[in-house]
Amino acid sequence: MESSVAAAVRAIAERSKTAIEVSHNRSLKTSTYLVSGRPEAVARAKREICAKLSPQVTRVVQVPALVRAQIAGVRGRNLQEIQTQTHTVIVLPKAGRDESPFEVLDVSITGDHSSVIAAAQLIEAIVDKRTTKRAVRITDVPRELHALLVGQDGATLQALEHAHAGVQISIPGPLDADAAIGVVGERDVVQAAVAEIRATAHALLQSSRTVTVTVPKRQHQFIIGPGGQTLREIVRSTGCSVNVPPPRSPSDQVTVRGADAALMQALSLVKLHASSVAVETVNPSTIHTYARPMLYVRRALQYFHDRNRFRRIESEHGVELRVPSVAQAAAAQTPEQVLIEVQGRDARAVTAAKDAVCALFAAFPPFHFNGIDVEPHLHSLLTGDGGTVARLQAARSIYTLFPKDTAARDILVVYEGFNPDIDRVAPEAREDAVRALLRKTLEEFRQAISNDDSYATVNVDVPVSLQRSLSSAQSQAALFTAANISGRVVLRFGAAPDDSAEAESTRVRRRDDSQLSENEVQVKGLTDDVQKIVAELNLRVAKAADYERLHSFRDQVAVPQQMLARIIGRGGENIRRIRSERDVTIDVVDGTNGASALVKLQGTQQDVAAVAAELYEFIERLADQTAETISVQADIHRALIGSGGRYVKRLEEKYAVRIAFPSSRRDDDDSSPLAADQIRIRGGRKGVDDAKVELLELAAYEVEHNHTVRFSVPAAALPHIVGKAGVRISEIKDESDTRIDLGDPSEGNVEVTVIGTRKGANAARTAIEAIVAEQESQVDVVLEVPTKHHRFLIGSGGARVRELVTQAGGNPDIMTGPDSCRIQFPRASDKTDSVRIKGDRAIVDAVRLRIEALVAERERMTT
C-alpha cells in the first residue's frame, strides 16, 4: 500500500513540478503531505493529492430545476470548470420533456471530502445568484402517509401551505412513480415547512392505524379504476391511504391506513368497488387434453378472433371479454398468459358467458386444426374467385386462415363441424375422420402449388459480398423498383441461414425448388417478374465484377509507429475523410517490436496513388514536427485566446499549428502538463517559430495595454466625474485611450479601475483626481444677514454682488470650479436672513468677510 502511495506522490510531484514530503503517523492512522513550490503548482498538487489519496464520498445537493442552465453553463462549461477546479465528478440530471421550473434536481457530487464540499459551495453560489428560492425533496416519509398529509379534500396540505406563505408542496399520488415530497420556496421558509411536514407525518403515524382486507387479485383493477381514477377518488374523499399490490406481486392483500373516523368509510369504498364487477376466468389450455396445449390455444384464438366468436358472446350476455390478441398468444409461454377474463355487473350473466366460452373451446378440439407452411408469394394460388379455398369451405366445411402479415408463411385450416360425411361417422371414429379430411385438404394445397406453371423459381450466381448489400428490405425494394416488377417476388440468399418451419407444419416445396449454395440467390414469383429480377441481378453482378477489377490495385505505406495515431486521427477522423474523398479501402496493421505500421490501400490506381501521396506528405510534415513552450503571464491568456477561441484559431489556421493553454485539454500526446503561465505551440518547425513570434508580440501588446490602476474617490464626487449623460467620463476615456470602471459606493468611497497603457492610465487618474480636488475645493457657506441689508448688498441689477466677487479675486461669470463664487439671497416671501455663498474656498472666505464688514458698517451708521 505504501509503495503505491509513494508512486502516486512521485507522479503528482513530477506533473506539478513541486517537492512533496510525506510523513505517516501509525498510531493516529494519518498521513501528512508537505508541498513546496510555486503557489499555483502547490494548489494543483494539493488538489491531486486529495483527489487520488483521500477516501471518495458522494453527496447529493438538491437545487431547483430553474437553475439547471446556469449550473451547466454554455455547452456544459460551468459544470466542467467546477469539476476541473475541485477534482470531482458531478452528475446533473438531464432535462425532462415536461419539466416544471419548480421541480427539484438531485445533483450528485463524488470526490474527496473537502473537494465535495468546495463543489457544493460553488453550486450553491450559482443558485444564490440566480434565485433566492430553494427546493427540497423529502424521501424519508413513508408512502403510506402521503394521503394522510394531503388529508380529506386536501385539507391538511392546504393548512401546511397556508402556515408557510409562498411555499409550494407537491405530494405524490397513490400511483405516481416518484415517491418524494417536493417543497419549493424561500430558503428559510422551506426549512421550516420541511420540519413541520416531518413532524406532521410522525404525528399522523402515531394517531392512525391500518386495516388489511383480502381482495381477489383479479378484482384489484376495479379498486384502482381507469388510469387510477377510482383509487384517487377514494383517497381524496376519505383522506386515507390505500395500498394495492402491483400486478406482478402475488399478494391479494389491500391495506388501508387512516384515522379511526375515516378508516371504515375508506374500507367500505374499497370493498364496494372491488365487488362492483363480477369476474370469472377461463384457462383454455385445460379444456382439452393435448400434448401441446399452447399451440392449440394459439390456433383456437386465431380462428375465434377471425370469426368474431368472442364478440357474439359479449353481445348475447352483456359482458366484456378480455381475450389475448393473436400476437399476445403467439408470444405466450405459459397458460397464465392466455387466460380469458369475463367481466360484468351481473354475476349470473358473467357465469353464463364463462360457460359459453368454455363450450366454444369444447366444440373445437385440437384435431379440428392443422397447418401448412407456404411461402407468401404462393398464397394467391389458393385464393381468388372459385379458388381451392372457397371450394373446400363450401364442400367440406373447412375454413382457411391466411396470415395478416404479408411476410408470414403459416396457413391454418380449421374444420368447422358442418360436414355430413363426418357427421355420419361413429363418434369414436370421428376424430380420425376429421384428421384425415384435414390431411387430404393440405395435400390438395400442395398439389395445387406444385402443379401451377404461372410461378417460377430460378437460382442466380451472386457473390456473398453482393448478397450482403441486397439482404436488407430497403435494398430489395430498390432492386424491385429498378427491375420494374408488378407482382410479389421472394428472394432467398444462400449466404443467409434459412429459417426452419414450425413443428407440426409441413413446408410446401415446388418441383423447381432446390438447395442453395453459398454463392446463390433464389428468386421466386410470377414468371415474368422472376425473369426481370434475374436480369437485374445479373446486371449488378457484372457491374460488381467490373468495379472489383478496377479497384483491385493495391499499395501500402509504411508509417512510423509513433506517428500512427496522428495519421488515423482522433476517433479515426482522418481515415474517414480519406475514404469519403477517395473510393479506397484502407486497412491499418500495427507494427510489432518497434517496427513501422503498414497502411494498406486498395482501389483504382489513380485513387490509391493520390492517397499514398497524401500519406507520404503527412508523414513528412509530422517528421518536421516540434513543440515549444513559452511563458506568458496567466492573466492575459483569455485575451490571447479571444472570444470563443477566435484569435487562437486564427493563429492555428495561419501557421498550421496547435496551441494549447493550461485551461484547455487539447493536447493529445503524452507531454507534461502546463503550468499556469505556460503556452505550448506544436506543429512544423517554421510554423511554430512564426506563431511564437506573433503570439509574443500579441502578449506584449496586451501587457502594454492592460496596465491597471486602482484608486478610490469620494462618492460625492461621482456625479462630477461622470458628468451629464456621461459626457465628462467619456471625454477622459477618449483622451487617455483607456477603459474606466466605476465600482459601487461603499462607506462613502467609490473604487475606480483604469485599464490601458501606463501613460494613458496615469493620465486618466490625473484627470479624475483633478476633478475630485476641484470638487473638494468648493464650499457652501450660510451667512446670517438681516433682511434690511439684502437690497443694498445685491445692488442695482446685482451690480454689488458682482463687485464683491470681483474684489475677492473671483469671476462672477462662472458657476463652478476655481475662482467661482455664487451668492444667493432669499426671496422676500421666505422671511429668512440666510444668505448662501458657494464656490472656491478662498473666494468664498473673502466675500464672506467683505459682506460682514459692510453689514457692520451699515449697522453703525443707523445707530
Side-chain angles (χ1 to χ4, degrees), residues 624-630 655-658 680-695:
D624 186 48
Q625 293 285 293
T626 186
E628 188 163 346
T629 302
I630 60 175
Y655 298 112
V657 296
R658 291 175 64 84
R680 179 178 293 123
I681 310 172
R682 184 183 302 281
R685 192 173 303 279
K686 185 177 185 306
V688 168
D689 291 340
D690 293 343
K692 172 185 173 182
V693 170
E694 185 165 343
L695 198 59

Side-chain angles (χ1 to χ4, degrees), residues 495-512:
D498 191 16
D499 55 340
S500 59
E502 185 180 349
E504 283 211 8
S505 292
T506 305
R507 174 70 60 85
V508 177
R509 297 189 181 277
R510 290 167 52 86
R511 293 188 303 271
D512 47 8

